[in-house]
Amino acid sequence: MDTLIDMGLITQEQVDEASGEVTDQSGVLDVLVAKGELFDESVTLAKATHAGLEVVELDAMQLDDAVISAVPRNIVKRFNAVPIYLSDDSVTMAMSDPTDLEAIDGLQVAVGKQVEIQVASDREIQSAIKRYYGGRDNKDDSVSKMIQDITEGEVEIASMGALEADTGVTVDADAPIIKLVNQIIIDAYRSRASDIHLEPMQHSFRVRYRIDGVCHIVKSPPKSLQGTVIARLKIESNMSISEKRIPQDGRIQCDVGDKVIDLRVSSVPTTHGESIVMRILDKDGLKLGLPTLGFFSDDQQTFEKIISLPDGILLVTGPTGSGKTTTLYSCLHFINRPDRKIITVEDPVEYQLAGINQVQVNETVGLTFAHALRSMLRQSPNVVMLGEIRDLETATIAINASLTGHLVFSTLHTNDAPSAVTRLIDIGIKPFLVASSTRAMMAQRLVRKLCPKCTGPHEYTENQLRSIGIDPVAVQEPNYQKGKGCGNCTGTGHRGRFGIFEIFVVEDEARKLIYDKVPASVLRKAAREMGMKTLREDGARKVTSGLTTVEEVVRATAND
């Protein structure tokens, strides 16, 4: 109780008032939480601070099957503790009360290993027990347990239901295979995955989640369930289950707790069966706003100035998965005001933005990027966002729109910012049009953030620092950091991602070079002389500031 008061989470007066309603301190906390004067998270933080331990967010973790199976359900229920890490001689448990030494001693005896403690809220512990071990009378809903529970007979029944789906037969929503497919999606969402990959191998059926840009193999169904799982996903996404020779696309809407998430589904035939990739589109999880992208103050000021111009083109470049669409959405969010008309053309429309007119490309009926863009300009917009410039026709209309008083945002697939100029000219745009219409090109990559819970000071070797252009002697008061790995980041040392940027502002000197059609290498050298920081240089600044690691910057800027 004193710790909560010292931390400023409650006052002595609140404690005295609550004490009149109960007789013990734990009851005081219950009263304060019930009255809304104290949150469970605050109690958990205070307990951890008092004990000198870390707080772990169980809801954000995906616990390994080997860890769960190492501690039986009866022990977990008895001591109200959940295993989160396992080694040869110890196990790390999450508990809500780290001061219960009797329970900790009992755990060590019951488990037969050294027990290390991290702190989680009682709500999260109860939720994790239900999720991984099941309730008293209910089966566990984890993917691994479901796989074990599915018998060959059930697989056969589920497969028949899948094959008959196109004829209108309703499949039982409680069928084991349906519950398994739904749980794969739910587990991926809770793990903060951006994509789910279901990949047929020769002798296995592999499931991977892409978390913070890195693929992780998770518990996968046996090869015998491959056809049934794929058929179920194709039914849910309105694909034809009888067509297995050509790629197909679809969408799924799924309830996860009180949230509704959309999944963009792609099916491609491979040597050993159809490969399914599902992109998770969480509208609530989309964090719009320029500060969340990872700009330093100087770059953000430059970028805000560019996107506030009345006309011209801003091009965001980078490979697939580098965050270009999120950056463009953040631009629209920044300039979205009632006095501006904003229209977008996208393929597909991933997130719906309030106050903005969004057009979905549909090439089957002739609604291409170029056709949609040409029609949009008759709607008198102030700002136009084009999902991607793909061909000469689209590029020409976008250039003309920028020259007639419209602000145009779009993307290109190039490795760096100056190469966008070369790409437009290669498409067929005249150099003088590129020079007069473009306001800036920005290349970006995503690097993983350091976990806020387990990050600490780190010493890099001189060779490591020089690999990203850092001179150890020249840097004053560096703040090199690295994550050790904890429950909050599932042992990776990273949680979340942000951008590193290369902003090429097209000014008079650059326009002359573009007009003269100089090679990309010459333009890049000139851009650097005019003040452009490269991707690696921006990454080095963020390493020095303790935001990410040398390894992350090297990985993201290998072409630099």
Side-chain angles (χ1 to χ4, degrees):
M1 193 70 68
D2 292 338
T3 303
L4 290 166
I5 296 173
D6 292 341
M7 295 175 67
L9 298 173
I10 54 174
T11 64
Q12 185 62 53
E13 289 74 15
Q14 290 174 310
V15 172
D16 293 340
E17 183 179 344
S19 298
E21 304 177 35
V22 292
T23 57
D24 59 81
Q25 286 203 341
S26 62
V28 171
L29 293 178
D30 292 338
V31 170
L32 291 172
V33 170
K35 293 169 68 175
E37 297 176 358
L38 188 64
F39 297 100
D40 283 335
E41 293 80 3
S42 301
V43 176
T44 303
L45 177 60
K47 289 178 179 179
T49 303
H50 180 71
L53 299 172
E54 291 184 18
V55 175
V56 60
E57 295 180 19
L58 288 178
D59 287 349
M61 293 181 65
Q62 177 63 40
L63 301 182
D64 191 83
D65 293 329
V67 177
I68 296 300
S69 60
V71 183
R73 178 180 178 275
N74 63 319
I75 294 177
V76 168
K77 296 283 287 184
R78 177 183 172 190
F79 295 102
N80 196 38
V82 176
I84 52 178
Y85 297 118
L86 182 66
S87 66
D88 292 337
D89 56 359
S90 69
V91 59
T92 302
M93 306 286 293
M95 297 181 67
S96 61
D97 186 4
T99 63
D100 191 348
L101 300 181
E102 206 171 296
I104 295 173
D105 291 339
L107 268 173
Q108 291 192 159
V109 173
V111 175
K113 292 187 175 186
Q114 179 69 29
V115 172
E116 298 178 2
I117 300 299
Q118 293 187 5
V119 185
S121 69
D122 188 65
R123 179 196 62 78
E124 285 187 305
I125 288 176
Q126 293 299 323
S127 175
I129 291 174
K130 182 177 179 181
R131 178 182 173 190
Y132 294 104
Y133 291 92
R136 183 173 301 275
D137 300 316
N138 297 325
K139 291 182 183 179
D140 185 9
D141 283 339
S142 69
V143 170
S144 58
K145 181 64 174 170
M146 287 183 178
I147 292 171
Q148 293 174 7
D149 289 343
I150 295 178
T151 65
E152 292 300 322
E154 288 169 331
V155 173
E156 185 178 342
I157 292 170
S159 299
M160 291 174 60
L163 292 173
E164 294 172 351
D166 282 349
T167 64
V169 175
T170 302
V171 182
D172 182 6
D174 292 326
I177 202 69
I178 296 178
K179 294 173 69 176
L180 171 62
V181 169
N182 291 342
Q183 194 63 39
I184 288 173
I185 296 172
I186 291 169
D187 283 357
Y189 175 77
R190 289 174 176 168
S191 301
R192 301 182 298 107
S194 59
D195 303 273
I196 306 171
H197 298 256
L198 296 98
E199 302 161 317
M201 305 286 113
Q202 184 173 2
H203 302 295
S204 63
F205 182 42
R206 185 171 68 179
V207 178
R208 295 191 293 173
Y209 298 160
R210 186 182 296 278
I211 304 171
D212 293 336
V214 179
C215 286
H216 300 268
I217 297 177
V218 297
K219 182 68 177 180
S220 303
K223 183 73 172 176
S224 59
L225 294 183
Q226 174 181 310
T228 313
V229 169
I230 290 175
R232 177 60 198 167
L233 284 169
K234 291 176 72 175
I235 291 169
E236 288 193 40
S237 52
N238 292 319
M239 298 182 192
S240 170
I241 62 172
S242 60
E243 181 55 77
K244 302 179 181 180
R245 301 165 298 173
I246 60 174
Q248 297 185 68
D249 294 301
R251 295 181 82 96
I252 296 175
Q253 195 168 77
C254 181
D255 294 329
V256 179
D258 58 349
K259 286 188 175 182
V260 177
I261 61 172
D262 289 326
L263 296 101
R264 194 176 73 207
V265 186
S266 171
S267 169
V268 174
T270 67
T271 306
H272 303 294
E274 291 176 279
S275 173
I276 300 280
V277 176
M278 294 181 279
R279 168 68 60 88
I280 298 175
L281 306 174
D282 177 19
K283 298 181 179 65
D284 296 332
L286 181 65
K287 296 179 180 178
L288 295 179
L290 299 182
T292 66
L293 298 178
F295 285 111
F296 273 162
S297 57
D298 55 344
D299 284 342
Q300 182 170 334
Q301 187 176 3
T302 300
F303 194 66
E304 287 179 359
K305 181 180 177 181
I306 294 166
I307 64 177
S308 299
L309 293 171
D311 56 29
I313 292 182
L314 166 67
L315 293 173
V316 180
T317 75
T320 301
S322 60
K324 299 188 299 295
T325 301
T326 301
T327 296
L328 291 182
Y329 281 159
S330 296
C331 293
L332 298 180
H333 182 74
F334 180 80
I335 64 174
N336 187 16
R337 300 196 303 267
D339 61 334
R340 286 188 172 184
K341 170 126 181 169
I342 302 175
I343 305 181
T344 74
V345 187
E346 304 169 63
D347 184 21
V349 174
E350 294 190 0
Y351 300 97
Q352 295 179 5
L353 304 177
I356 293 175
N357 301 276
Q358 295 173 270
V359 177
Q360 167 76 56
V361 169
N362 187 351
E363 295 189 359
T364 58
V365 297
L367 186 59
T368 62
F369 271 109
H371 188 192
L373 182 56
R374 192 180 294 109
S375 300
M376 282 167 47
L377 296 178
R378 292 194 286 270
Q379 296 277 314
S380 187
N382 301 105
V383 181
V384 172
M385 187 191 99
L386 186 60
E388 182 184 351
I389 292 179
R390 298 181 177 180
D391 51 41
L392 175 59
E393 184 181 11
T394 306
T396 301
I397 299 170
I399 293 286
N400 290 335
S402 70
L403 294 173
T404 54
H406 302 86
L407 182 60
V408 180
F409 300 142
S410 190
T411 69
L412 272 178
H413 287 285
T414 62
N415 288 328
D416 61 7
S419 295
V421 172
T422 308
R423 174 70 178 141
L424 286 175
I425 294 174
D426 288 344
I427 287 176
I429 302 297
K430 300 295 184 184
F432 76 90
L433 290 175
V434 176
S436 57
S437 63
T438 52
R439 296 292 178 261
M441 291 90 166
M442 185 179 78
Q444 72 175 67
R445 301 290 188 276
L446 294 178
V447 295
R448 291 185 291 175
K449 296 180 185 177
L450 291 173
C451 172
K453 299 289 181 66
C454 65
T455 294
H458 182 74
E459 292 292 331
Y460 288 107
T461 66
E462 183 175 339
N463 287 339
Q464 286 177 313
L465 294 174
R466 291 192 183 279
S467 70
I468 59 171
I470 296 177
D471 183 352
V473 179
V475 177
Q476 297 181 352
E477 299 182 3
N479 181 29
Y480 302 127
Q481 301 278 323
K482 196 166 189 177
K484 299 177 179 64
C486 66
N488 185 54
C489 58
T490 60
T492 64
H494 300 276
R495 184 178 173 89
R497 291 188 291 175
F498 65 91
I500 55 175
F501 306 97
E502 178 178 283
I503 304 176
F504 175 30
V505 180
V506 181
E507 296 178 333
D508 290 343
E509 186 177 345
R511 288 192 179 93
K512 184 178 185 306
L513 293 173
I514 295 171
Y515 184 80
D516 292 339
K517 203 175 178 181
V518 301
S521 58
V522 175
L523 187 59
R524 180 174 178 80
K525 182 179 179 181
R528 295 191 65 183
E529 292 172 353
M530 286 182 271
M532 183 188 80
K533 289 184 288 292
T534 66
L535 289 166
R536 180 157 288 189
E537 288 169 344
D538 190 44
R541 290 201 300 168
K542 287 164 183 174
V543 170
T544 305
S545 301
L547 301 176
T548 189
T549 64
V550 168
E551 293 83 0
E552 278 296 297
V553 174
V554 169
R555 179 184 61 83
T557 61
N559 291 331
D560 238 13

